[in-house]
Amino acid sequence: MGVISYDVIVLGSGPAGEGAAMNAVKLGKRVAVVDQRSQVGGNCTHQGTIPSKALRHAVQQIDNFNNNPMFREIGEPRWFSFPNVMKNAMGVIRKQVKSRTNHYARNRVDLYAGHASFVDDTTVKVIEADGHAQTLSAKHIVIATGSRPYRPADVNFSHPRIYDSDTILNLTHTPRRIIIYGAGVIGSEYASIFAGLGVLVDLIDTRDRLLSFLDKEISDALSYHLRNKNVIIRNNEEYQKIEGTEDGVVLHLKSGKKIKANALLWANGRTGNTQNLGLESIGLVPDGRGQLKVDEFYRTAVENIYAAGDVIGWPSLASASYDQGRYAAANIKDASTPHFVTSVPTGIYTIPEISSLGRTEEELTRDAVPYEVGKAFFNRLARAQITGQTAGMLKILFHRDTKEILGIHCFGDQAAEIVHIGQTIMDQPGEGNTLEYFIYTTFNYPTMAEAYRVAALDGMNRLFDEESE
Ligand SMILES: Cc1cc2nc3c(=O)[nH]c(=O)nc-3n(C[C@H](O)[C@H](O)[C@H](O)COP(=O)(O)OP(=O)(O)OC[C@H]3O[C@@H](n4cnc5c(N)ncnc54)[C@H](O)[C@@H]3O)c2cc1C
């Protein structure tokens, strides 16, 4: 059987693989993408970002219908099941697969559906679902095989009531009560989704506060809003044993508590997909979390083999993965200056949504940076009053003397969009990044973007108030 040769082979068709493949094509390379799924899009499209965001959107619409008094004119609040809202998410997945497949076709990227493994550092074997094998070769190979939920050996994931973030999408009923073990981004987002469907949620956090990397005021706000939705947050807890029973699950915590529920969602950690990749054939050794180390060119320890996306660890976001893939391709084409992703905004699709960039109040205080705060509360913005989405706040942290913006922290409706306005200004070189931009710029009215002007004026007023005291 012949060997099919390319300039670049990309393993995985998630955001990192797609970013690498598309950029490599634009840079004149002949490219093949291999994915073990029959459809493109990676875990991002099929099990991660897309289904969870589509579920969340459906839940928000239900919440709006059930809680907005205007809708009582046309009917009483309605109950929706998890499989119901999942149907909506499946529709979005289909659309994503279609547009991405077309994108590959338009760009003349050859797609192979099969499991890939290295034969040597320029050769990959692809085993298709029917057992048929293909051999591909290329001077450069990009590993973009993503990650999967970490499954500790002492948790029985074959029990029908114990799920991880992949298998939860197959839930065929709506549990009355669910335990979510792990209160990172994925756990907190699913807590919002299930709480929105009227499920009683126990959110088990192994740390002392939710999403402790966030500015404290924002993470406190999230805890408040989740509690308001009947989520019980249990901080500083760790499991001793997870016991599957006939009709549910009992979680035994090290603190002595026992929590019973109809289902448990394990959302505690992920592992890089480097198993069965034949890495031993090329002398690459992943770390204990299955992740690969790369340099500032996204090169692994084998010089012609690159890696991007979740398989290299931080920040394990679709947003960054796409750019990492693009940059890996750019580095393949031209290795004179490295392209590397360093600054990534945080986008957390809980209800309410959270997004942030730059430093937190805690970090600035620790580093003794003289900063001031400007805030805009959504409940005072005309646009938020019109949409009824009044829970939220935009907070700008800026240097007292230079007015340089040091951090943007936002929670509430559209937070993940709003943060990008601040990001644009923060990215301006030199004196381009100051609070004044928001004061001397006319914003559309009514908009959520207007929050920047309100927050900037609030921050300036604080400075003047202090000066005039
Ligand atoms: C529930 C959830 C919600 C998330 N929400 C967000 C969000 O809102 N925003 C955000 O930015 N990020 C989010 N993420 C993270 C995001 O999904 C990942 O960062 C992103 O998918 C990583 O992209 P990737 O290209 O590295 O790999 P993946 O998307 O994981 O794709 C890798 C692909 O490689 C394939 N593959 C693996 N091994 C092989 C092999 N040997 N041969 C062939 N193919 C192989 C896999 O089948 C898969 O299709 C979320 C993740 C989860 C789990």
Side-chain angles (χ1 to χ4, degrees):
M1 189 186 42
V3 176
I4 310 170
S5 75
Y6 291 91
D7 297 321
V8 179
I9 300 172
V10 180
L11 309 184
S13 69
E18 184 178 319
M22 293 305 163
N23 204 19
V25 165
K26 304 273 183 248
L27 296 170
K29 305 284 185 191
R30 194 164 170 253
V31 181
V33 170
V34 187
D35 200 298
Q36 61 197 7
R37 270 177 220 283
S38 56
Q39 296 182 328
V40 298
N43 301 320
C44 173
T45 298
H46 295 274
Q47 287 172 316
T49 312
I50 297 299
S52 59
K53 264 58 300 170
L55 281 170
R56 174 192 183 269
H57 180 70
V59 166
Q60 265 191 314
Q61 285 181 306
I62 295 167
D63 186 70
N64 196 20
F65 176 79
N66 285 346
N67 294 308
N68 186 335
M70 185 185 80
F71 289 118
R72 295 298 73 79
E73 298 276 333
I74 54 165
E76 290 310 302
R78 297 283 301 274
W79 182 80
F80 280 75
S81 69
F82 185 86
N84 249 191
V85 286
M86 194 56 215
K87 251 189 258 161
N88 172 66
M90 290 306 295
V92 181
I93 294 173
R94 276 193 296 277
K95 285 182 197 148
Q96 279 283 301
V97 169
K98 189 168 172 215
S99 53
R100 291 180 188 287
T101 308
N102 285 338
H103 197 33
Y104 281 113
R106 273 199 309 276
N107 285 283
R108 306 285 185 269
V109 173
D110 287 350
L111 294 176
Y112 292 85
H115 178 87
S117 59
F118 284 94
V119 176
D120 59 40
D121 60 7
T122 54
T123 315
V124 166
K125 187 168 73 184
V126 181
I127 307 286
E128 295 167 359
D130 61 3
H132 180 247
Q134 304 251 30
T135 307
L136 314 179
S137 78
K139 191 165 168 211
H140 294 102
I141 298 175
V142 181
I143 302 174
T145 47
S147 66
R148 63 185 185 284
Y150 163 67
R151 288 183 159 198
D154 59 353
V155 179
N156 176 13
F157 286 95
S158 63
H159 190 279
R161 302 297 182 108
I162 300 177
Y163 301 87
D164 63 25
S165 62
D166 288 353
T167 56
I168 196 73
L169 302 175
N170 306 326
L171 198 64
T172 52
H173 65 289
T174 313
R176 300 271 309 149
R177 183 167 181 169
I178 191 166
I179 298 165
I180 300 182
Y181 189 89
V185 174
I186 295 171
S188 299
E189 289 186 359
Y190 270 106
S192 296
I193 291 169
F194 280 107
L197 291 174
V199 179
L200 294 172
V201 179
D202 276 274
L203 180 60
I204 313 298
D205 188 3
T206 54
R207 304 187 180 203
D208 61 351
R209 72 173 167 98
L210 281 189
L211 305 172
S212 51
F213 58 89
L214 291 175
D215 189 274
K216 185 165 181 308
E217 198 174 2
I218 304 288
S219 92
D220 287 349
L222 175 64
S223 303
Y224 169 82
H225 285 282
L226 286 178
R227 287 190 175 115
N228 244 352
K229 285 274 176 201
N230 233 349
V231 175
I232 299 174
I233 303 169
R234 301 177 190 270
N235 299 107
N236 285 321
E237 297 279 10
E238 259 181 71
Y239 78 102
Q240 177 120 49
K241 188 169 77 170
I242 294 173
E243 182 191 348
T245 63
E246 207 169 295
D247 60 346
V249 189
V250 182
L251 170 68
H252 301 253
L253 291 169
K254 284 187 180 162
S255 61
K257 296 185 194 77
K258 270 192 212 173
I259 303 168
K260 201 167 181 274
N262 311 103
L264 181 138
L265 166 60
W266 176 269
N268 204 30
R270 294 185 67 82
T271 306
N273 285 329
T274 44
Q275 79 295 358
N276 309 324
L277 251 186
L279 292 182
E280 55 293 347
S281 315
I282 53 171
L284 264 188
V285 184
D287 66 16
R289 312 189 68 181
Q291 294 168 357
L292 296 170
K293 246 200 169 67
V294 290
D295 66 9
E296 75 273 30
F297 291 92
Y298 292 105
R299 274 185 310 223
T300 65
V302 180
E303 212 177 307
N304 66 314
I305 296 183
Y306 291 65
D310 279 14
V311 78
I312 62 167
W314 183 88
S316 290
L317 288 171
S319 52
S321 298
Y322 193 80
D323 289 336
Q324 291 171 341
R326 278 178 48 225
Y327 289 172
N331 293 330
I332 286 173
K333 170 82 176 172
D334 174 9
S336 52
T337 352
H339 292 80
F340 197 81
V341 176
T342 49
S343 164
V344 180
T346 305
I348 303 170
Y349 297 85
T350 40
I351 303 174
E353 194 166 302
I354 294 173
S355 197
S356 65
L357 187 68
R359 285 189 277 174
T360 63
E361 287 208 55
E362 294 69 44
E363 287 166 347
L364 293 170
T365 305
R366 182 200 60 205
D367 298 344
V369 178
Y371 73 94
E372 197 41 273
V373 186
K375 290 183 188 178
F377 291 95
F378 287 7
N379 60 5
R380 294 181 207 146
L381 295 180
R383 181 63 178 253
Q385 290 170 357
I386 291 165
T387 60
Q389 303 291 334
T390 49
M393 177 191 68
L394 171 70
K395 171 159 104 170
I396 305 178
L397 308 180
F398 61 97
H399 197 286
R400 294 184 60 91
D401 306 328
T402 63
K403 317 282 184 308
E404 180 193 357
I405 297 168
L406 304 167
I408 306 272
H409 304 276
C410 187
F411 81 93
D413 189 37
Q414 307 296 322
E417 305 282 350
I418 292 168
V419 82
H420 290 299
I421 300 167
Q423 181 186 35
T424 309
I425 301 308
M426 280 179 82
D427 283 348
Q428 297 303 310
E431 289 177 8
N433 170 21
T434 71
L435 195 69
E436 270 107 350
Y437 173 85
F438 297 117
I439 290 171
Y440 300 114
T441 298
T442 304
F443 285 87
N444 279 333
Y445 178 83
T447 54
M448 295 307 289
E450 198 209 350
Y452 279 97
R453 184 176 50 76
V454 176
L457 285 169
D458 176 61
M460 280 299 198
N461 286 342
R462 265 177 233 260
L463 289 184
F464 294 139
D465 287 351
E466 284 170 26
E467 279 164 17
S468 59
E469 269 168 16

